[in-house]
Each structure stands twice: as structure tokens, then as C-alpha cells.
Amino acid sequence: MRTQVAIVGGGPAGLLLSVLLHKAGIESVVLERQTKAHVLGRIRAGVLEQGFVGLMEEAGLADRLHREGLIHEGLSLSFGENRFRLDLAGLVGRPVVVYGQTEVTRDLYAARDGLGLATEFEVDNVALAGLQGDAPFVTYEVDGEARRLDCDFVAGCDGFHGISRQHIPEGVRREFERVYPFGWLGVLSETPPVDEELLYANSVRGFALCSMRSHKLSRHYIQCSLSDRVEDWSDDDFWEELKRRIPSEFTGRLVTGPSIEKSIAPLRSFVCEPMRWGRLFLCGDAAHIVPPTGAKGLNSAASDVHYLNRALRRFYLDGDSEGIERYSEQALARVWKVERFSWWMTSLMHHFPDQSDFDLRMQQAEFAFLGESRAAQEALAQNYVGLPY
Ligand code: RFL
Ligand code: PHB
């Protein structure tokens, strides 16, 4: 088989890239390790930046997002009983949109099916070759049968555990990492959200987040120990712990109910440099991971897709390879700012196991300053709604 762009990974980054390329008349094939049902069953991100919404519009796929997405013009941050509202719209004139990654992925697969775009599911043993020449190819297996996909470029959109990144030789590749000493236990429930806006809470017992997917569906997270297992947390224990971590003005309003999904995610910051190796481009979680505190993972996968889509269009439509040559530098410039913001918000809002009394006072002072300073709030809001592409 032959195509112009081989896309390894059918998560949001790979799917969005394929639809945007198709709009420009550029062919691609998506290779996905899992089944479609598995990819659609993942509960992950919930908050979209305007930049992401813009890309869905460009792909012609924003109708349901506009209909069902919840526009959030602000959010709350609390530290113990102290809370303030961050007025995103008032501070930076832009809101965020709450619309689940599951729904984004569903819209993208539906569009690709409608357009008849090629996807190979349940691919195994994917390997990349010829990346330094102008005729790269991808080998893989489906049901034990060996296959080969010849292409002009490979987009490595295969997430943090993918194989693409490993094809950049060790002497060239640099990896930067911080692993945090806690995880997030997430629970999805058919209960109304505790408030109209998101609440990020720091308490002496650790972090908590009250988020949502709709007016009837809530998504909550609490910081947990890395050694905790999902089975250790009954629904009742989860709700009790959440109540202890949010300000008392919210506890009375919290509606509890059975969990529909429950999972634990470790928290990590990670960046791989460079993001291009010859004709291989890394996109999204394949190249970088952020702790979810700033709601940035999916959004920064989308900004990579934006740069790569633009670079490939320039190459195919204008015969200009400058965008391709500058892809890594351009994408990384934004990635590092997003890494900084996510690390900062994680450091401010979590209880660290080895935290000294001094460290706690620093968090409290920073929180108090944020609550009082418009300049500090503006900086937070600017990052939260999304830096420009
Ligand atoms: P994905 O979604 O991991 O997709 C990669 C795809 O590649 C496939 N794959 C392979 N395919 C072929 N061959 C191989 N060898 C392969 N290896 C892997 C995988 O099966 C998969 O389908 O990466 P992508 O597309 O870069 O998208 C990134 C986002 O999924 C991720 O950044 C976000 O979910 C992060 N995230 C959040 N991001 C936000 O912007 N806002 C949020 O509110 C937000 N909340 C979150 C999050 C992530 C979380 N977890 C579970 C880590 C909340 C949580 C709890
Ligand atoms: C979510 O709704 O899943 C969510 C929202 C905000 C975050 C992380 C996750 O910062």
C-alpha cells in the first residue's frame, strides 16, 4: 500500500491530522494498535481551548461541539476554605469549552468513516524505516499477516507508550522528565456537577477537582497515592474523601451517586527533543506529557497538529519545505511554555508527601497573591485559555 502521510496512532492527534490533511487533498492512512471501541472507551480530557475548537471548525467538524459543548467563562480555585473565581472572560476575553475527549474522538472517527478515509485497526509490531531518505515506509502486522505502507512522511501520533519516538537514535534524542509522587483517581458519575464551573481545590488532604461532561454527568478527581489501586477505593470512600477536600460552601451541594468509570493516572511531565527526525514527525503525547492539572495534554497535541498540518500543506501545495524543517523548533517553543504552566499549577495545587512547613507557607502565599493580584490572575488565565499558535 502507498500513501502520502502514514499516521501511526488513531488517537485525537492522528485523527485530527488526517482530516485536516484530507481537506487540503493530502492522502493519509491511520494505523491504530487498538480496536475503535477501545479508543472510544477512554475517558480522558474535558477542557478545550479556543485553538482546538478552531481546528475542529477548520476540519468542518464543530457542529456537535458547538451544540453540546459547555462554554466556561470562569473557574474556581480554592485553598482550604479560601476560594476565588478566575474570570477568564473578564481577564483575557476568551472562555474554554467543556467537551469530552471521548466526544471529540467520536466526531473524528464519524467524519473519517463518512469520508472513507483508511484506518487499519489492531496493528501489531509497527516499525518505521527509511526515515532519513525520501522514501520512508512502515511495516506492521494485522492478524499475523505482514504488511507494508510506503509513504513520503510518517506522523508519530502514537501516544506516550508508542514506538515512533524510539526511532530517533539515542545519540540525537534528549528526554526531559519529572515524575510526581502522586496520581489522580478519577470518577465519572451520572450526577449533576456541584457548580456551573470547574473547581480546583488544594487542601491539607491533597488536591481535588470537580469537573463535568454535561449538566447531568460529573467528572471528579482526587490526588491519591501512587501505591493506591482502583479496587481500594469504594464509591463511598471516594465521595467522603472528596467532601473533605473542597470548601464547605460546596459540600452541602455535592450530589453523590454510583461511579460509571473509575481509574488512576500517574502524573508526569515529559518532553522529547527534537520532534522531527528526517521524515518522522512526533505529535502529541508521543513527544510530550503534562500532568493534567492545567488541562493541557489534548490541547497541546492539537497545537502540534496545527504546525504539522501547515508544514505539510506548504510542502505539498507550495513546494516549500521550510515549515517541515522548522516544525520541531516551532512546536517545542509552545510545548515548553505549556510544560511550565502545567508544572506550576501542579506544584501550587497539590500536597507533596515531602512538603515542609516552609513549602506549605509558600503555596499559601502564592495562592493569596493570586487571589489579590489582577496581573497574576491574568497570567494564569492567559495560559489556561491557551497560548496562541
Ligand atoms: P493518545 O490519545 O494516547 O493516542 C495515541 C494512540 O496511538 C495508539 N498507539 C499505537 N498505534 C499503532 N501502533 C503503535 N505501536 C501504537 N502505540 C500506541 C494508541 O492506542 C492510541 O489510540 O495520544 P494523542 O492523540 O497525542 O492525544 C493526547 C491526549 O489523549 C492526552 O494528552 C490527554 O488525554 C491528556 N489529558 C487532558 N488533556 C487536555 O487537554 N485537557 C484535559 O482536561 C485533560 N485531562 C488528560 C486529562 C489525561 C488524563 N489521563 C488519563 C492521562 C485527564 C486525565 C486523567
Ligand atoms: C476533566 O474534566 O477530565 C478535566 C478537567 C480539567 C483538568 C483535567 C481534567 O485540568
Side-chain angles (χ1 to χ4, degrees), residues 314-364:
R314 268 177 85 175
F315 178 84
Y316 283 109
L317 308 183
D318 309 328
D320 173 358
S321 50
E322 195 196 327
I324 281 170
E325 275 143 30
R326 294 200 50 218
Y327 169 73
S328 177
E329 171 197 332
Q330 268 192 328
L332 281 168
R334 190 176 187 279
V335 161
W336 276 113
K337 290 178 207 146
V338 172
E339 288 285 340
R340 186 208 66 82
F341 172 67
S342 303
W343 158 84
W344 170 80
M345 198 162 160
T346 302
S347 310
L348 175 67
M349 297 307 292
H350 289 75
H351 178 81
F352 285 71
D354 59 352
Q355 188 167 337
S356 66
D357 289 345
F358 180 83
D359 297 333
L360 178 62
R361 285 286 185 271
M362 288 298 100
Q363 279 187 330
Q364 285 170 334

Side-chain angles (χ1 to χ4, degrees), residues 50-70:
Q50 287 300 319
F52 193 107
V53 175
L55 286 173
M56 291 292 278
E57 284 168 351
E58 194 181 327
L61 295 180
D63 287 356
R64 193 161 75 97
L65 197 166
H66 285 313
R67 230 174 24 246
E68 295 176 18
L70 304 175

Side-chain angles (χ1 to χ4, degrees), residues 3 5-22 26-32 36 59-61 104-121:
T3 191
V5 183
I7 300 179
V8 186
L15 299 174
L16 182 57
L17 178 65
S18 74
V19 179
L20 290 170
L21 291 177
H22 174 79
I26 302 167
E27 269 178 28
S28 64
V29 171
V30 171
L31 305 176
E32 168 56 49
K36 192 198 283 187
L61 295 180
V104 170
T105 312
R106 198 178 295 282
D107 293 344
L108 287 165
Y109 269 120
R112 296 186 80 261
D113 290 347
L115 294 166
L117 303 182
T119 314
E120 294 252 47
F121 288 102

